[in-house]
Amino acid sequence: RRRHSLSRAIPRPTDPTGPRHTPPVDTMKLLYFPILARNVLAEVLAKDKQIALDVAAPDWPKYKPDTLFGQLPQLECELAGKCCQSMAIARLLARRANALGETEQDFMQSEMLLEKFVELYDCLIASNVYGVGTPFDKVETTRISLQQHLAHMETMVDASRGTVGDISCVCAVLIASKFGVGEITKHAPKVLAYYESKKEILDAACGSYEAWFKPVTEAAN
């Protein structure tokens, strides 16, 4: 009796990223403030992948009722409509740029890097006093946490691959740069080299923006 092979009976899994995406011709505008914060990944990704993206600061809070969730950033596409939440915007732009990953492993690592980017950002938020910065007594512990997050990103970043997750490593350094680029990348030499190689892109995308996360350099009296 002929035995059936399971390898023949069960089809091979397909790549979850799917076939390469052909982006529509669409006019897109990103709405946010001119600071280094939740807008950075989208703007740097668009600049790096040569995606046409207009950027504007809306009249706030007057514009708030025109947003989906009452917050920014918001991406407004002529064809696709409105998209809010910074990571959803980044993934949409990455899909249009075919920057989600060529293989399943690339996709997996890009997604893990994005999640680590969110953790690093949350670390900055947790120690930040709105409009002031990180209090003097929390600066060193915050810097150590930044070093740890970037050291984790170091294990997966691939500059030659250039997925949205890879680009997020560069953006993480830019957003946290006031804590000292050399210090926060102390254990992440590949991330630092990637960051330095993208300086022209970073300056073109966000060079005029104010740092939102910064250490208070002196203890309060």
Side-chain angles (χ1 to χ4, degrees):
R1 181 180 298 178
R2 187 175 180 179
R3 298 172 67 95
H4 292 284
S5 169
L6 287 176
S7 62
R8 293 181 181 178
I10 301 175
R12 291 178 179 273
T14 57
D15 189 333
T17 61
R20 290 182 66 81
H21 176 63
T22 302
V25 178
D26 198 357
T27 300
M28 297 185 293
K29 178 185 288 187
L30 182 70
L31 301 177
Y32 202 66
F33 313 107
I35 58 176
L36 298 176
R38 295 191 184 276
N39 53 320
V40 169
L41 179 53
E43 293 194 46
V44 171
L45 180 65
K47 186 69 67 175
D48 187 66
K49 303 301 183 183
Q50 299 182 332
I51 300 173
L53 179 68
D54 294 328
V55 180
D59 185 359
W60 195 261
K62 184 178 180 180
Y63 195 80
K64 190 172 183 177
D66 293 317
T67 63
L68 292 174
F69 296 158
Q71 62 190 30
L72 297 176
Q74 178 164 283
L75 182 69
E76 299 187 350
C77 308
E78 185 178 2
L79 298 179
K82 297 178 179 180
C83 177
C84 70
Q85 298 293 329
S86 57
M87 301 312 291
I89 292 169
R91 287 182 170 97
L92 173 61
L93 293 176
R95 183 171 185 267
R96 293 192 172 194
N98 288 310
L100 291 170
E102 289 287 341
T103 68
E104 189 172 80
Q105 184 180 42
D106 289 342
F107 175 75
M108 176 176 66
Q109 291 188 345
S110 179
E111 287 296 304
M112 286 190 282
L113 286 170
L114 286 178
E115 293 300 325
K116 180 54 65 174
F117 173 81
V118 171
E119 288 182 9
L120 183 146
Y121 196 93
D122 288 346
C123 163
L124 289 168
I125 288 283
S127 68
N128 188 62
V129 175
Y130 187 89
V132 176
T134 298
F136 182 78
D137 62 339
K138 294 183 179 180
V139 169
E140 190 55 30
T141 55
T142 300
R143 186 176 284 121
I144 291 172
S145 293
L146 293 172
Q147 290 174 349
Q148 292 171 342
H149 287 303
L150 289 169
H152 290 156
M153 298 175 100
E154 174 80 3
T155 64
M156 293 185 186
V157 66
D158 185 343
S160 66
R161 182 175 56 190
T163 64
V164 60
D166 296 314
I167 294 291
S168 76
C169 300
V170 171
C171 295
V173 176
L174 178 61
I175 292 169
S177 59
K178 288 299 183 180
F179 287 84
V181 170
E183 292 182 71
I184 63 176
T185 59
K186 181 179 180 180
H187 307 298
K190 288 191 298 182
V191 173
L192 176 59
Y194 195 17
Y195 170 80
E196 291 177 340
S197 74
K198 292 296 182 181
K199 281 291 290 179
E200 187 175 344
I201 295 291
L202 297 173
D203 288 343
C206 307
S208 63
Y209 294 171
E210 177 186 357
W212 186 248
F213 301 106
K214 50 198 173 187
V216 176
T217 55
E218 296 182 358
N221 294 328

